[in-house]
Amino acid sequence: MITIQTVDDNHATLKVDIGTPHFTMVLGIEMLIEALIEEVKDLTIDSLLADLKRIYERDNKKEE
Protein backbone atom coordinates (compact mmCIF):
# COMPACT_ATOMS: atom_id res chain seq x y z
CA MET A 1 0.00 0.00 0.00
CA ILE A 2 1.11 3.55 -0.74
CA THR A 3 -0.08 6.39 1.52
CA ILE A 4 0.45 10.13 1.01
CA GLN A 5 -0.32 12.57 3.83
CA THR A 6 -0.16 16.36 3.86
CA VAL A 7 1.98 17.77 6.66
CA ASP A 8 1.50 21.43 5.68
CA ASP A 9 1.37 23.53 2.51
CA ASN A 10 5.00 22.72 1.65
CA HIS A 11 5.49 19.21 3.02
CA ALA A 12 4.00 15.77 2.63
CA THR A 13 4.92 12.29 3.77
CA LEU A 14 4.91 9.14 1.68
CA LYS A 15 4.69 5.66 3.18
CA VAL A 16 5.26 2.60 1.03
CA ASP A 17 4.62 -0.68 2.82
CA ILE A 18 7.42 -3.21 2.78
CA GLY A 19 6.86 -5.66 -0.04
CA THR A 20 4.94 -3.26 -2.30
CA PRO A 21 5.82 -4.40 -5.83
CA HIS A 22 7.76 -2.06 -8.13
CA PHE A 23 4.97 -2.24 -10.71
CA THR A 24 2.40 -1.11 -8.10
CA MET A 25 4.56 1.91 -7.28
CA VAL A 26 4.88 2.79 -10.99
CA LEU A 27 1.09 2.53 -11.41
CA GLY A 28 0.64 4.82 -8.41
CA ILE A 29 2.99 7.36 -9.97
CA GLU A 30 1.07 7.20 -13.24
CA MET A 31 -2.21 7.76 -11.43
CA LEU A 32 -0.80 10.77 -9.54
CA ILE A 33 0.48 12.28 -12.81
CA GLU A 34 -2.91 11.80 -14.43
CA ALA A 35 -4.69 13.44 -11.48
CA LEU A 36 -2.29 16.41 -11.50
CA ILE A 37 -2.65 16.98 -15.25
CA GLU A 38 -6.45 16.88 -14.96
CA GLU A 39 -6.42 19.26 -11.97
CA VAL A 40 -3.86 21.89 -13.04
CA LYS A 41 -4.62 24.00 -16.09
CA ASP A 42 -1.85 24.10 -18.72
CA LEU A 43 0.21 21.39 -16.98
CA THR A 44 1.90 19.02 -19.40
CA ILE A 45 3.82 15.84 -18.74
CA ASP A 46 6.99 17.63 -19.85
CA SER A 47 6.54 20.56 -17.46
CA LEU A 48 5.60 18.21 -14.61
CA LEU A 49 8.68 16.04 -15.18
CA ALA A 50 10.88 19.16 -15.34
CA ASP A 51 9.43 20.34 -12.00
CA LEU A 52 9.98 16.90 -10.44
CA LYS A 53 13.57 16.79 -11.70
CA ARG A 54 14.30 20.27 -10.33
CA ILE A 55 12.81 19.42 -6.92
CA TYR A 56 14.57 16.05 -6.76
CA GLU A 57 17.94 17.58 -7.62
CA ARG A 58 17.44 20.39 -5.09
CA ASP A 59 16.46 17.99 -2.31
CA ASN A 60 19.13 15.40 -3.11
CA LYS A 61 22.04 17.70 -3.82
CA LYS A 62 25.33 15.94 -3.16
CA GLU A 63 28.09 17.82 -1.42
CA GLU A 64 31.20 18.03 -3.59
Side-chain angles (χ1 to χ4, degrees):
M1 179 184 284
I2 302 168
T3 307
I4 302 171
Q5 291 183 311
T6 301
V7 174
D8 59 38
D9 288 344
N10 294 310
H11 298 90
T13 61
L14 175 72
K15 180 179 182 260
V16 180
D17 290 344
I18 293 173
T20 301
H22 173 260
F23 189 70
T24 300
M25 288 188 263
V26 172
L27 285 174
I29 293 167
E30 188 276 332
M31 292 165 63
L32 286 169
I33 290 170
E34 186 176 308
L36 281 167
I37 289 174
E38 287 179 9
E39 184 70 25
V40 179
K41 184 179 179 180
D42 297 326
L43 184 66
T44 66
I45 187 69
D46 291 331
S47 63
L48 176 60
L49 291 174
D51 289 344
L52 288 171
K53 180 180 179 187
R54 180 182 47 79
I55 293 166
Y56 178 84
E57 288 174 345
R58 178 198 68 199
D59 292 350
N60 293 282
K61 190 176 195 180
K62 293 186 179 184
E63 298 293 324
E64 292 185 28

